[in-house]
Amino acid sequence: MPKSSRRLTRHLAAAAVTIGMLATSVIATASPAGATAPLGTKSLASVLASDGDTFDRNWYDYDVLTQAVGAVLAAKPNSPVKVLADGTVPLTAFLPSDRAFQRLAKDLTGKTYRSESQLFSRLAGLLGVNTIEAVLLYHVIPGATINSKTALRSDGARLATALPGGTIKVDVLSRRCRLIRLIDADRNDANPLINPRAFDINKGNRQIAHGIWLVLRPIDI
């Protein structure tokens, strides 16, 4: 296993020990913020599965992410990741595309996987369920429905993620061009940009998401 992969697994395994405590805290803090909160209760999990939940040749949708969520919940039904299937709980999620996971695998293994199914199998075997769970939770901001309008006015904001101790900084590069960079914990690699064409997925509901072009990294790998 490459050194960077071992480091990622080791650090996130430690974080995963405390993940179980999030199951109640996420729900406890995720209440609608007054009358302005979205009223819809369609979950992000149902949105992710709406394209058939299968691997394909479109690297710009979210099949790898969907399969990762399913794998975690199959192995750990009470994982805090299940909040993505409860549309009554407000949250904001950043969704890495299949291409984003392909780039992560390239960084970890030095190999470019040309098949989504092979890519997922390799990442699952390399990282394990607990590490995948931790990475997924780092992409979730519990208790807040942050739409694009709010995000573009939040330059410099630090968002607390569902991963214990995890934070993401919002860096608005251009409000006019709708360019936002998310600064993660990996200081030696590129930070994800929100795809300007993938803002406000599931808009009008308590759970909202924005597509990103790279996977957020909760540690420096």
Side-chain angles (χ1 to χ4, degrees):
M1 179 184 296
K3 184 177 180 181
S4 59
S5 299
R6 293 197 302 269
R7 190 183 306 122
L8 177 65
T9 302
R10 183 173 64 253
H11 283 266
L12 292 186
V17 173
T18 62
I19 284 173
M21 296 184 294
L22 278 172
T24 55
S25 63
V26 167
I27 295 175
T29 59
S31 56
T36 59
L39 299 178
T41 57
K42 186 176 183 179
S43 73
L44 282 176
S46 64
V47 173
L48 288 172
S50 63
D51 68 348
D53 192 20
T54 57
F55 294 122
D56 53 32
R57 295 185 179 181
N58 177 11
W59 288 92
Y60 297 98
D61 58 7
Y62 309 101
D63 300 322
V64 175
L65 175 64
T66 305
Q67 294 290 334
V69 171
V72 169
L73 293 180
K76 305 174 69 173
N78 291 320
S79 166
V81 171
K82 70 180 181 180
V83 73
L84 294 170
D86 184 354
T88 67
V89 179
L91 59 82
T92 301
F94 300 107
L95 309 182
S97 66
D98 298 332
R99 184 73 75 194
F101 281 104
Q102 185 187 48
R103 290 169 179 163
L104 175 64
K106 173 71 172 179
D107 283 351
L108 293 176
T109 70
K111 181 177 179 180
T112 299
Y113 292 87
R114 303 297 182 184
S115 160
E116 290 181 359
S117 60
Q118 290 179 353
L119 168 64
F120 176 74
S121 295
R122 180 62 176 132
L123 285 175
L126 182 67
L127 300 178
V129 170
N130 288 340
T131 300
I132 292 174
E133 178 185 42
V135 171
L136 291 176
L137 290 175
Y138 190 62
H139 288 73
V140 176
I141 312 302
T145 306
I146 306 170
N147 60 25
S148 59
K149 182 178 180 180
T150 300
L152 288 165
R153 295 178 177 176
S154 301
D155 186 39
R158 290 191 176 274
L159 306 177
T161 74
L163 181 69
T167 61
I168 300 167
K169 183 178 179 180
V170 178
D171 181 18
V172 179
L173 301 176
S174 172
R175 288 181 60 181
R176 181 176 182 179
C177 296
R178 291 163 59 87
L179 289 179
I180 298 177
R181 179 173 61 177
L182 301 174
I183 301 177
D184 59 23
D186 191 339
R187 305 309 182 196
N188 302 316
D189 212 320
N191 289 293
L193 292 173
I194 295 180
N195 181 353
R197 297 184 177 182
F199 272 115
D200 297 327
I201 298 170
N202 205 33
K203 183 178 181 179
N205 291 280
R206 296 181 182 184
Q207 297 192 346
I208 198 167
H210 312 293
I212 55 178
W213 283 326
L214 293 172
V215 175
L216 288 162
R217 304 177 182 204
I219 65 166
D220 189 350
I221 62 173

